[in-house]
Amino acid sequence: MKYRNLWLGFIAVIVGSFAVLGYYGIEIYREAPPIPQKVITTSGKVLFTEQDIQDGQNVWQSTGGQQLGSVWGHGAYVAPDWSADWLHKEAMYFLDTWAQQEKSVTYDGLDEEAKAMLEARLQKQLRANTYNPETGVLTVSDLRAEAIADVSKYYTGLFMDDPALAKQRDAFAMADNTVKDPVRMEKLNAFFFWTSWACVTERPGKNITYTNNWPAEKLVANEPSSDLIIWTGFSVIILIAGVGLLAFYYASNKDDEIDHSRLPKKDPLLGLDATPSMRATLKYFWVVTALILVQVTLGVVSAHYGVEGQALYGFPLAEYLPYSITRTWHVQLAIFWIATSWLATGLYIAPAVSGHEPKFQRLGVNFLFVCLLIIVAGSLAGQWYGVMQKLGYTENFWFGHQGYEYVDLGRFWQIFLLVGLFVWLGLMVRAIVPAFRNDVEGRHLLGMFLISSAAIAIFYASGLMWGQHTNLAIAEYWRWWVVHLWVEGFFEVFATVVIAFLFVRMGLLDTKLATATVLFSTIIFLFGGIIGTFHHLYFSGTPTAVMALGATFSALEVVPLVLIGFEAYHNLKISSATVWLRAYKWPIYSFVAVAFWNLLGAGVFGFVINPPIALYYMQGLNTTPVHAHTALFGVYGMLGIGLMLFVLKGLSGRRRWKDGVIRFAFWSINVGLILMVLISVLPIGMMQTWASVEYGLWYARSMEFMQTDTMETLRWLRVVGDTIFASGVVALAWFILGLKTGWSMEEGEDVQDIDLIHSVREKTISK
């Protein structure tokens, strides 16, 4: 089989996609919302300086940043979106002041005609761009300075310890004295003003704001732009066309029939003797199991903060572990345990594929394990010190909490992790390279294995591309390189290659077919996935072209997921193709679950929020964690569990596994996850979407809306799914512990010879 065209297609996609990503990255640098050197009033009073805004960004990061409320729609969902909330409060100050001056009533007491007149005046003042790029000075009216002071006073009381705002802090899961220093609080207010200013100020020469008119706020004429609506329609057309073309290709090239006569009669892995380095990976999976338990526990605590803002059933937990910490650890530990499972599987697979154990490979595996423990413990401790306001701006950036979701760990820990990934890559390369000399037929698949491994190490480095004072729009650009390209992109490619290797090694897939499938799948996935990174950046201070590209290519991301059901069906057929494959039932079932969640979580729930018009109203609402939970845990988590079970099967001495506990764990995790979403998080998100369309994002995230009896009931209903899900995780941990103690295994070995089974059956029937 010739692979030349597939390799050329792969290279073209990589080069072309990153050229586009890089070119518009430069445009983002050029057109990012400017940070003024000074913010002054028309009467000459200096309100803020550039340093105040930059220091305020560091204060925001030290409070947990995107783990405590959100800015520009990115972050956590219990507290408000601070940019949208500030904008609404500032607008209402103007309207109420004018109404009092002219009619001696509040704005709400005016008739519709009077309201419309004041709103038109407000829009003219707030949307006008008064920033002078030559002097770097932003000039605001004296009345706007009063509005800024009024909102700042409210935020100071909220983030510190004003007793009058205790109810709000409880509703937002904010600990008292989230910010302990008044000077820090002044700088935080400067940063929040700047993020709000970018949301309402029109770009020079255009009638849209720096954030493409986001958030929805009718008072200041923040409404969907024509570009946003046009590119939404185009994205749907692209999706339909892409699905049609891929369905045609799939129907004309895919053969779903399994040739039982060509399947191995015995388990090809029975004769595999684990090398010392392969056995050394076992401890990684013990850590994975422990991290899953801690991560799920923190998720339960974080969810409970949504109904009891500063306590856990009466215990004042927020004094010791505030919401921003429990959510930070919950998200970060998910990345840690999923990545650890995948990387450990790579370390296990590499010597198995090559049949070669390099010198000191076991030492390298053990050294990497120690580094992993230090990174996990050190980064978690640093984040706690940062959020508890025990570190300075620079110390927090390096060792504490960077405030960016999924990449919260301090810069020192980022660098440490990057070094660890390159150590891992070195261990992979030295173990797999000998296979190139011995396996001519499989060189192309081995090449993809090494390329995907290298990409995992290299692309994490994009997390080092922002600094302590980098403009938020630019930091968001690079953050999504990590979250989307590293986590969702190249880890996905790596997983595809690893599963192909496993099936080839087990004799279930032909090497040539597996290689072609992997290359084709990678081309399709990355064609939409790389440029599709832009769909996270519609409203993050980026130019309109980013929206156009993001809408188009993120629609293409969904295309291969539409047909993922065929993959699930194929894996199910494989699992029942031979008797000996029953020993791998639960790893294969995990791969089937991955296909299911790819379709539902990444495909359906992902596309629900991807089109620009949908995301315009949904960004920052609970529709996002619907996608995040079902895609991150459903796809990547279940794949991590499946890979872990596969390796543990290979290290368990070929003894049969008891089905009871692992069956309960598998079904409880998956059923619990879907119940969590369908009866709680999704209904909350859809109700918030209605509120966002009707009144604006500020209201959809407000205490007045989120603390109604209906929303409270929906949050409590999450207990049903969470309990079932957590029970499954505990059962999984119990089962894995039982592999060590023996209670998860039966006497005797797995089925080795299908002919033996047939002869036993025939004798039984004859009797």
Side-chain angles (χ1 to χ4, degrees):
M1 179 178 290
K2 301 292 185 180
Y3 303 112
R4 181 175 178 272
N5 290 339
L6 288 172
W7 277 111
L8 288 176
F10 173 75
I11 293 170
V13 165
I14 294 292
V15 173
S17 297
F18 277 107
V20 172
L21 205 64
Y23 174 80
Y24 284 100
I26 295 172
E27 290 298 292
I28 291 172
Y29 271 82
R30 193 172 63 85
E31 298 191 31
I35 301 177
Q37 294 180 17
K38 290 181 181 180
V39 178
I40 66 173
T41 66
T42 51
S43 59
K45 181 182 178 181
V46 177
L47 300 181
F48 310 121
T49 66
E50 180 182 22
Q51 192 64 51
D52 290 334
I53 295 170
Q54 291 177 334
D55 288 346
Q57 182 172 340
N58 294 157
V59 175
W60 167 70
Q61 291 171 290
S62 74
T63 65
Q66 292 174 341
Q67 303 293 359
L68 183 65
S70 58
V71 169
W72 294 348
H74 292 153
Y77 311 100
V78 178
D81 180 274
W82 305 115
S83 44
D85 186 65
W86 181 292
L87 176 59
H88 181 75
K89 284 180 167 55
E90 189 177 328
M92 287 304 300
Y93 184 88
F94 274 92
L95 296 172
D96 282 334
T97 299
W98 286 333
Q100 286 287 352
Q101 289 174 348
E102 299 174 14
K103 302 290 184 179
S104 299
V105 296
T106 64
Y107 166 78
D108 290 333
L110 297 174
D111 58 41
E112 293 304 314
E113 184 177 353
K115 284 182 177 179
M117 291 178 62
L118 292 186
E119 288 170 13
R121 189 192 308 175
L122 173 71
Q123 293 160 17
K124 185 177 181 179
Q125 179 159 152
L126 291 189
R127 295 183 71 87
N129 195 332
T130 57
Y131 172 74
N132 187 331
E134 294 181 1
T135 63
V137 173
L138 170 63
T139 305
V140 299
S141 67
D142 289 334
L143 181 57
R144 190 168 192 180
E146 292 177 17
I148 292 170
D150 185 74
V151 181
S152 295
K153 181 180 178 182
Y154 166 78
Y155 272 51
T156 298
L158 180 66
F159 276 81
M160 298 187 77
D161 60 354
D162 186 350
L165 297 177
K167 185 177 180 181
Q168 282 88 335
R169 280 194 294 276
D170 194 63
F172 301 152
M174 295 176 64
D176 293 341
N177 285 309
T178 297
V179 177
K180 300 179 177 8
D181 182 358
V183 175
R184 282 193 168 206
M185 192 62 233
E186 290 177 8
K187 295 178 182 295
L188 179 60
N189 284 328
F191 172 69
F192 283 155
F193 162 75
W194 176 79
T195 65
S196 173
W197 174 82
C199 291
V200 74
T201 303
E202 293 182 351
R203 289 181 178 273
K206 298 184 179 180
N207 60 355
I208 57 171
T209 71
Y210 285 105
T211 57
N212 289 316
N213 284 356
W214 186 94
E217 177 59 81
K218 296 176 182 178
L219 295 179
V220 297
N222 264 13
E223 296 177 339
S225 66
S226 56
D227 286 324
L228 185 144
I229 295 170
I230 289 170
W231 287 109
T232 295
F234 189 71
S235 71
V236 174
I237 295 171
I238 288 293
L239 173 63
I240 295 171
V243 169
L245 289 172
L246 190 60
F248 173 78
Y249 176 87
Y250 199 96
S252 59
N253 291 277
K254 185 69 176 178
D255 182 9
D256 281 322
E257 292 301 316
I258 297 176
D259 187 354
H260 290 255
S261 65
R262 298 185 63 182
L263 294 177
K265 303 300 182 182
K266 297 180 181 181
D267 181 353
L269 300 182
L270 273 174
L272 177 65
D273 291 326
T275 66
S277 71
M278 292 167 66
R279 290 193 295 271
T281 62
L282 179 61
K283 64 177 77 69
Y284 283 77
F285 297 107
W286 287 104
V287 170
V288 167
T289 305
L291 293 182
I292 293 175
L293 286 172
V294 176
Q295 188 245 334
V296 170
T297 302
L298 290 167
V300 171
V301 173
S302 299
H304 186 80
Y305 270 133
V307 295
E308 194 179 359
Q310 298 191 42
L312 182 66
Y313 297 105
F315 179 76
L317 185 62
E319 295 180 13
Y320 311 99
L321 284 178
Y323 170 82
S324 55
I325 278 293
T326 62
R327 191 179 188 274
T328 296
W329 289 355
H330 173 64
V331 173
Q332 185 169 307
L333 287 178
I335 300 296
F336 276 149
W337 76 255
I338 291 171
T340 299
S341 179
W342 293 23
L343 298 180
T345 300
L347 293 173
Y348 177 86
I349 290 294
V353 169
S354 66
H356 173 69
E357 172 85 346
K359 191 175 182 180
F360 302 123
Q361 183 79 353
R362 180 174 177 271
L363 177 62
V365 171
N366 290 334
F367 174 75
L368 190 62
F369 178 75
V370 174
C371 292
L372 170 68
L373 295 182
I374 295 173
I375 292 169
V376 171
S379 62
L380 297 185
Q383 286 158 353
W384 184 87
Y385 274 95
V387 170
M388 300 306 284
Q389 302 291 286
K390 297 178 181 294
L391 299 175
Y393 300 148
T394 302
E395 292 84 355
N396 180 71
F397 174 77
W398 279 94
F399 299 100
H401 199 305
Q402 285 203 55
Y404 297 125
E405 193 176 25
Y406 295 105
V407 281
D408 309 270
L409 63 170
R411 177 55 52 87
F412 172 80
W413 305 111
Q414 277 186 299
I415 295 172
F416 198 165
L417 179 56
L418 179 64
V419 172
L421 288 172
F422 274 99
V423 171
W424 170 81
L425 177 61
L427 293 172
M428 295 287 290
V429 169
R430 67 199 302 264
I432 206 75
V433 162
F436 277 91
R437 294 191 295 268
N438 304 326
D439 186 5
V440 176
E441 185 178 359
R443 282 178 181 174
H444 293 274
L445 192 58
L446 290 168
M448 280 301 299
F449 186 68
L450 287 180
I451 290 172
S452 61
S453 299
I456 287 175
I458 293 169
F459 277 90
Y460 186 72
S462 55
L464 306 181
M465 297 302 292
W466 65 80
Q468 184 179 343
H469 296 125
T470 298
N471 187 303
L472 182 60
I474 295 169
E476 280 291 273
Y477 169 73
W478 289 112
R479 181 174 77 92
W480 286 108
W481 272 60
V482 179
V483 180
H484 186 87
L485 289 177
W486 187 65
V487 176
E488 299 180 34
F490 288 102
F491 260 115
E492 177 87 6
V493 174
F494 176 76
T496 302
V497 177
V498 167
I499 292 176
F501 261 121
L502 296 180
F503 282 2
V504 167
R505 184 72 181 181
M506 295 167 72
L508 305 176
L509 281 180
D510 177 73
T511 301
K512 295 179 180 179
L513 177 62
T515 303
T517 301
V518 165
L519 280 168
F520 179 76
S521 299
T522 300
I523 291 170
I524 293 296
F525 183 79
L526 294 183
F527 182 73
I530 295 175
I531 302 177
T533 304
F534 283 146
H535 82 259
H536 299 285
L537 300 172
Y538 293 157
F539 315 118
S540 297
T542 56
T544 305
V546 168
M547 180 193 302
L549 290 166
T552 302
F553 284 87
S554 66
L556 292 174
E557 283 186 87
V558 181
V559 170
L561 304 179
V562 173
L563 299 178
I564 208 74
F566 289 105
E567 179 187 331
Y569 176 66
H570 185 71
N571 286 342
L572 275 174
K573 289 178 68 176
I574 284 178
S575 68
S576 58
T578 65
V579 176
W580 62 264
L581 265 172
R582 293 175 186 173
Y584 299 94
K585 174 181 178 180
W586 296 112
I588 292 177
Y589 267 42
S590 296
F591 299 153
V592 172
V594 169
F596 170 79
W597 289 114
N598 243 326
L599 173 61
L600 182 63
V604 176
F605 291 146
F607 192 72
V608 162
I609 63 175
N610 271 4
I613 189 64
L615 196 59
Y616 179 81
Y617 290 107
M618 290 181 171
Q619 180 156 297
L621 305 182
N622 274 269
T623 45
T624 302
V626 168
H627 167 59
H629 280 85
T630 52
L632 182 58
F633 193 100
V635 178
Y636 300 107
M638 286 307 302
L639 184 54
I641 290 172
L643 294 174
M644 175 173 66
L645 292 176
F646 186 92
V647 174
L648 291 176
K649 187 64 188 173
L651 295 173
S652 64
R654 308 308 306 168
R655 290 181 60 187
R656 286 196 300 269
W657 286 359
K658 293 180 180 178
D659 256 7
V661 175
I662 189 62
R663 178 187 290 111
F664 174 83
F666 175 84
W667 289 111
S668 294
I669 288 172
N670 286 281
V671 171
L673 182 57
I674 199 166
L675 288 177
M676 175 202 310
V677 167
L678 293 182
I679 68 177
S680 179
V681 186
L682 181 59
I684 291 173
M686 297 311 295
M687 291 183 67
Q688 284 184 296
T689 301
W690 170 85
S692 179
V693 173
E694 190 71 14
Y695 301 106
L697 179 73
W698 72 271
Y699 181 70
R701 293 277 295 273
S702 68
M703 180 180 72
E704 292 77 12
F705 181 73
M706 291 300 293
Q707 297 303 313
T708 60
D709 291 341
T710 300
M711 301 298 273
E712 188 83 357
T713 300
L714 287 172
R715 281 195 294 273
W716 274 109
L717 280 175
R718 182 169 170 173
V719 171
V720 178
D722 282 2
T723 301
I724 296 173
F725 179 85
S727 298
V729 170
V730 171
L732 176 66
W734 181 257
F735 174 80
I736 292 172
L737 180 61
L739 294 178
K740 179 68 174 179
T741 61
W743 63 57
S744 295
M745 295 185 286
E746 298 177 351
E747 293 298 326
E749 293 188 347
D750 289 319
V751 175
Q752 297 186 38
D753 193 328
I754 194 169
D755 295 328
L756 176 63
I757 296 298
H758 286 166
S759 65
V760 171
R761 285 179 178 173
E762 290 172 0
K763 290 179 181 178
T764 303
I765 293 172
S766 64
K767 290 182 180 179

